[in-house]
């Protein structure tokens, strides 16, 4: 196959017809993936593949088996290193992937001298590798991923190359360190010259022993720091000196901080300088168990911030409290989940963000009622509200003041179920008009202001395991505009409203796990889709197409699926 250009899965075996030498005359290969390189037992045989003469080769992947990688980690590896050295590709190569290589040293050809055109490098599961090549000298390198290099303890000066940090990584756009279990130190000397002058994305994840982070370059757009158990503070910003050609305008737009258990405060590092972070639009903070402080004193100055998500930060408090303004007024999407005592200031938080369009409250243990009409009426563009797992929530407060609310989701808020019976105060306002209502208990339809709601085009009810019928009067009031009705886990539901045929706008009816449902009422002529999953065998037989005794009742529906599973 001398004209072959793409060979995506060539498996080496120690038998005729499957050896690596079979590649010798495939001179037109552009893409090559070789598996089971451990079956090359002779370095000279590797040389016979003539990868260095394949001038069209642009993408090369070399993979060892996982079991072999574990074996070579225990000792030796000299043969393995010799084989890899003899697999030197042509200098025109642009993309290189090496996975499960068990040698102690990297191949000698992984350098600018032999591969000057490399743009992408992935080193994964190279568990014996103790030092890194001079990646910094690859002048066209744009993407670098180091994944699961288990024994590497330090990223030292060799990472940047013999000329040092000053001229390293001139084109690098994305840098990813992940699952580096022993990595403790990352050498950096960014006091002069350039420091990753083109870097746009930096991801450092699951490096539990890494003790300190170098400064992040001002050109960075995306930063993710996750599961760094020893990091106690955020990195600083590196600013170029006057002689540098690096742009000085900050570009960081997205920041993710996840599982950094020793970070106590975000009022340090680069977040101390909001005047230099005006492009920051998206912040996610998740599972930072000891985080107490956000940069509250400066938070309102992040004038470009549009999306903020704070989740599983149980010790977080919002202090000091700044009267009248706690969050940047630019925020459009806010998620609060298990955020310590932060939900106690919910009414103050919402007062400062009138531009918010999406709000999610989850596992907010301190919320007993939604804010009043006076507060919620200021959220003049809020269109999507999600409330989940708020065990003390007993009142929806001034919810009816949300004039532009389109989507409302309420799930696992058990005290709301008994709100009517316990006589909680109700704030009346203009009746709600929703596009979609997603709840987990139909009794919520009797809680104000849902009880007085004019309509919802999409009605979804989850976890209906304890109900045998639906609130028919409420449904009848909305019958003219309801387009989609979906019931999930309705294992006790025995019948649907007899007046379902009067739902003149209903187009889709979805039922899941309706084992007790015996029959369907007359369905509206407008219905286009009927989907029933998890019904009884008797029900399925009754409504079977062309033969079921009651098939004629649903034959006018264009799309029907009835499944017992």
């Amino acid at each position: 196959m001398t004209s072959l250009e793409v060979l995506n899965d060539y498996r080496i075996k120690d038998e005729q017809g499957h050896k690596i030498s079979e590649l010798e005359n495939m001179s037109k290969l552009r893409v090559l993936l070789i598996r089971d390189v451990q079956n090359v037992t002779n370095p000279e045989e590797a040389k016979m593949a003539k990868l260095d003469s394949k001038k069209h080769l642009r993408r090369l992947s070399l993979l060892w088996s996982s079991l072999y990688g574990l074996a070579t980690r225990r000792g030796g590896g000299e043969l393995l290193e010799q084989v890899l050295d003899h697999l030197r590709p042509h200098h025109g190569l642009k993309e290189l992937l090496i996975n499960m290589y068990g040698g102690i040293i990297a191949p000698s050809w992984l350098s600018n001298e032999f591969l000057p055109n490399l743009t992408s490098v992935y080193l994964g599961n190279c568990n014996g590798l103790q030092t890194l090549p001079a990646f910094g000298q690859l002048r066209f390198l744009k993407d670098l991923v180091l994944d699961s290099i288990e024994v590497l303890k330090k990223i030292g000066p060799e990472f940047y190359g013999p000329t040092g940090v000053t001229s390293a990584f001139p084109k690098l756009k994305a840098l990813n360190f992940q699952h580096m279990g022993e990595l403790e130190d990352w050498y950096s000397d960014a006091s002069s010259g350039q420091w990753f002058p083109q870097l746009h994305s930096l991801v450092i994840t699951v490096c539990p022993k890494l003790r300190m982070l170098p400064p992040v370059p001002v050109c960075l757009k995306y930063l993710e720091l996750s599961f760094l158990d020893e990091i106690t503070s955020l990195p600083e910003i590196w600013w170029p000196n006057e002689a540098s050609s690096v742009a000085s305008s900050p570009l960081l737009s997205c920041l993710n901080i996840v599982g950094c258990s020793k970070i106590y405060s975000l009022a340090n590092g680069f977040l101390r300088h909001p005047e230099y972070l005006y492009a920051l639009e998206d912040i996610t903070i998740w599972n930072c168990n000891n985080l107490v402080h956000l940069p509250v004193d400066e938070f309102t100055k992040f004038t470009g911030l549009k999306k903020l998500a704070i989740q599983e930060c149980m010790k977080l408090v919002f202090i000091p409290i700044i009267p009248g303004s706690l969050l940047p007024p630019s925020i459009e999407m806010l998620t609060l989940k298990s955020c310590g005592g932060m939900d106690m200031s919910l009414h103050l938080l919402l007062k400062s963000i009138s531009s918010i369009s999406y709000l999610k409250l989850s596992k907010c243990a301190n919320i007993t009622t939604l804010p009043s009409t006076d507060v919620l009426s200021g959220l003049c563009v809020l269109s999507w509200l999600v409330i989940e797992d708020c065990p003390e929530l007993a009142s929806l407060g001034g919810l009816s003041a949300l004039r532009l609310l389109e989507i409302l989701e309420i799930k696992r808020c058990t005290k709301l179920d008994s709100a009517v019976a316990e006589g909680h105060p109700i704030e009346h306002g203009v009746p709600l008009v929703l596009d979609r209502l997603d709840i987990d208990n139909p009794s919520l339809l009797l809680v104000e202001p849902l009880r007085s709601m004019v309509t919802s085009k999409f009605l979804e009810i989850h976890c209906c395991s304890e109900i045998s019928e639906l609130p028919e009067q409420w449904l009848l009031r909305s019958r003219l505009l309801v387009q989609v009705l979906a019931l999930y886990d309705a294992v006790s539901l025995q019948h649907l409203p007899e007046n379902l045929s009067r739902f003149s706008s209903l187009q889709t009816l979805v039922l899941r796990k309706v084992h007790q449902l015996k029959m369907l009422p007359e369905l509206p002529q407008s219905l286009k889709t009927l989907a029933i999953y998890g019904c009884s065998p008797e029900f399925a037989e009754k409504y079977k197409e062309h033969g079921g005794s009651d098939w004629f009742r649903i034959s006018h529906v264009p799309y029907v699926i009835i499944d017992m599973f």
Side-chain angles (χ1 to χ4, degrees):
M1 295 185 288
T2 56
S3 297
L4 194 66
E5 295 184 0
V6 177
L7 181 54
N8 252 333
D9 196 355
Y10 184 60
R11 296 175 180 267
I12 306 298
K13 299 179 183 179
D14 191 17
E15 56 186 72
Q16 193 64 32
H18 296 276
K19 295 189 176 184
I20 199 168
S21 56
E22 302 290 337
L23 301 173
E24 180 178 1
N25 295 320
M26 296 183 182
S27 59
K28 296 185 179 180
L29 281 172
R30 296 183 294 106
V31 178
L32 174 61
L33 186 153
I34 305 175
R35 294 186 186 273
D36 298 325
V37 183
Q38 72 277 358
N39 291 329
V40 181
T41 56
N42 187 333
E44 292 302 318
E45 184 182 341
K47 196 172 184 179
M48 291 175 62
K50 293 186 177 180
L51 297 188
D52 59 344
S53 66
K54 301 186 189 311
K55 61 182 180 179
H56 301 289
L57 191 61
R58 295 296 178 265
R59 183 189 305 168
L60 174 65
S61 301
L62 301 172
L63 290 76
W64 288 253
S65 76
S66 58
L67 292 178
Y68 186 78
L70 291 173
T72 55
R73 185 172 53 178
R74 300 189 183 102
E78 183 177 348
L79 173 62
L80 185 66
E81 293 164 1
Q82 292 177 357
V83 167
L84 185 55
D85 262 346
H86 282 74
L87 290 176
R88 173 166 63 89
H90 187 269
H91 60 77
L93 190 74
K94 290 189 174 183
E95 300 177 29
L96 174 66
L97 182 149
I98 298 177
N99 195 37
M100 293 290 178
Y101 167 65
I104 295 175
I105 60 175
S108 59
W109 43 260
L110 190 45
S111 67
N112 192 68
E113 178 184 358
F114 294 102
L115 298 176
N117 296 296
L118 270 181
T119 61
S120 174
V121 175
Y122 173 94
L123 290 186
N125 300 287
C126 298
N127 295 324
L129 205 62
Q130 296 181 359
T131 59
L132 296 175
F135 285 119
Q137 299 304 302
L138 295 170
R139 57 184 178 178
F140 295 115
L141 186 64
K142 294 182 179 180
D143 298 280
L144 175 60
V145 178
L146 303 181
D147 182 5
S148 302
I149 303 180
E150 291 186 3
V151 302
L152 188 69
K153 292 186 176 182
K154 181 179 180 180
I155 297 174
E158 73 283 349
F159 180 60
Y160 307 98
T163 58
V165 173
T166 301
S167 60
F169 297 106
K171 300 291 185 181
L172 193 67
K173 300 285 187 181
L175 177 61
N176 191 329
F177 293 160
Q178 57 191 38
H179 299 95
M180 312 275 275
E182 297 298 320
L183 183 64
E184 297 178 357
D185 296 305
W186 182 353
Y187 170 82
S188 64
D189 181 12
S191 57
S192 62
Q194 64 180 19
W195 175 251
F196 293 101
Q198 300 294 328
L199 194 65
H200 286 173
S201 173
L202 176 61
V203 177
I204 312 296
T205 180
V206 195
C207 299
K209 294 185 178 181
L210 186 61
R211 295 177 291 199
M212 186 175 294
L213 293 169
V216 294
V218 70
C219 56
L220 202 64
K221 293 183 179 180
Y222 178 88
L223 175 61
E224 178 179 335
L225 307 174
S226 57
F227 303 104
L228 307 179
D229 296 343
E230 295 298 319
I231 297 298
T232 59
S233 62
L234 298 180
E236 296 289 342
I237 294 181
W238 177 82
W239 293 93
N241 57 33
E242 295 181 359
S244 174
S245 60
V246 182
S248 58
S249 298
L251 299 175
L252 187 65
S253 61
C254 184
L255 170 64
N256 291 336
I257 305 172
V258 178
C260 296
S261 57
K262 287 191 176 181
I263 290 184
Y264 172 79
S265 173
L266 297 183
N268 54 31
F270 63 87
L271 285 182
R272 291 182 303 174
H273 309 289
E275 64 273 20
Y276 301 130
L277 296 171
Y278 47 79
L280 187 57
E281 296 184 352
D282 186 345
I283 297 180
T284 297
I285 305 167
W286 177 61
N287 195 24
C288 294
N289 298 327
N290 288 298
L291 181 64
V292 175
H293 299 296
L294 293 176
V296 177
D297 290 332
E298 305 291 342
F299 223 6
T300 56
K301 299 178 182 177
F302 286 82
T303 54
L305 191 62
K306 295 181 179 179
K307 183 178 179 181
L308 175 64
I310 303 175
Q311 305 181 63
E312 308 293 343
C313 298
M314 296 301 297
K315 294 184 180 181
L316 189 63
V317 292
F318 226 137
I319 55 175
I321 293 179
I322 303 174
S325 185
L326 296 178
L327 294 177
S330 57
I331 287 182
E332 298 176 359
M333 303 179 70
L334 175 64
T335 298
L336 300 178
K337 178 181 179 181
S338 298
C339 51
M342 191 172 173
D343 52 13
M344 297 176 67
S345 303
L346 181 62
H347 63 292
L348 294 175
L349 294 175
L350 297 182
K351 273 188 175 181
S352 65
I353 48 177
S354 59
S355 60
I356 186 172
S357 61
Y358 172 87
L359 173 62
K360 180 175 181 179
L361 304 173
S362 178
K363 295 185 177 180
C364 294
N366 298 305
I367 295 180
T368 59
T369 178
L370 292 186
S372 65
T373 298
D374 292 341
V375 175
L376 294 186
S377 61
L379 306 183
C380 51
V381 295
L382 184 64
S383 60
W384 192 342
L385 174 60
V386 181
I387 308 172
E388 297 177 346
D389 300 296
C390 296
E392 299 301 318
L393 182 66
S395 171
L396 295 177
L399 181 67
S400 60
L402 298 174
R403 304 292 180 84
L404 295 184
L405 191 64
E406 297 177 355
I407 301 174
L408 176 61
E409 302 179 36
I410 305 177
K411 298 174 184 175
R412 298 177 297 280
C413 298
T414 53
K415 282 200 173 182
L416 273 179
D417 300 344
S418 56
V420 175
E422 295 179 3
H424 286 277
I426 298 171
E427 296 188 46
H428 294 284
V430 178
L432 287 173
V433 180
L434 301 177
D435 282 343
R436 175 182 158 198
L437 176 61
D438 188 348
I439 57 179
D440 66 347
N441 193 327
S443 64
L444 292 175
L445 296 174
L446 304 178
V447 177
E448 291 290 357
L450 301 186
R451 184 173 183 175
S452 303
M453 183 171 60
V454 174
T455 186
S456 175
K457 295 179 182 178
F458 296 76
L459 174 60
E460 298 185 30
I461 306 178
H462 297 259
C463 302
C464 306
S465 58
E466 297 182 2
I467 66 167
S468 57
E469 60 183 7
L470 296 174
E472 192 165 345
Q473 289 185 348
W474 186 96
L475 289 171
L476 282 174
R477 192 172 67 248
S478 303
R479 69 185 186 278
L480 298 180
L481 291 174
V482 172
Q483 297 177 7
V484 177
L485 176 60
L487 307 177
Y488 302 104
D489 300 317
V491 295
S492 300
L493 185 68
Q494 298 178 10
H495 60 85
L496 294 171
E498 289 295 330
N499 293 310
L500 200 60
S501 61
R502 297 171 61 185
F503 285 63
S504 57
S505 295
L506 189 64
Q507 298 181 18
T508 301
L509 177 61
V510 180
L511 306 173
R512 287 185 181 271
K513 294 186 179 180
V514 284
H515 306 302
Q516 301 298 319
L517 190 64
K518 303 300 182 184
M519 62 180 298
L520 294 172
E522 184 181 350
L523 299 178
Q525 292 299 311
S526 59
L527 198 64
K528 299 291 189 290
T529 299
L530 173 64
I532 302 176
Y533 305 93
C535 62
S536 67
E538 295 80 11
F539 184 94
E541 181 66 25
K542 185 184 297 186
Y543 291 95
K544 183 172 65 174
E545 185 176 5
H546 307 309
S549 60
D550 284 356
W551 166 253
F552 71 95
R553 297 182 183 276
I554 61 174
S555 60
H556 66 282
V557 182
Y559 179 77
V560 176
I561 178 170
I562 297 178
D563 196 328
M564 292 183 291
F565 303 100

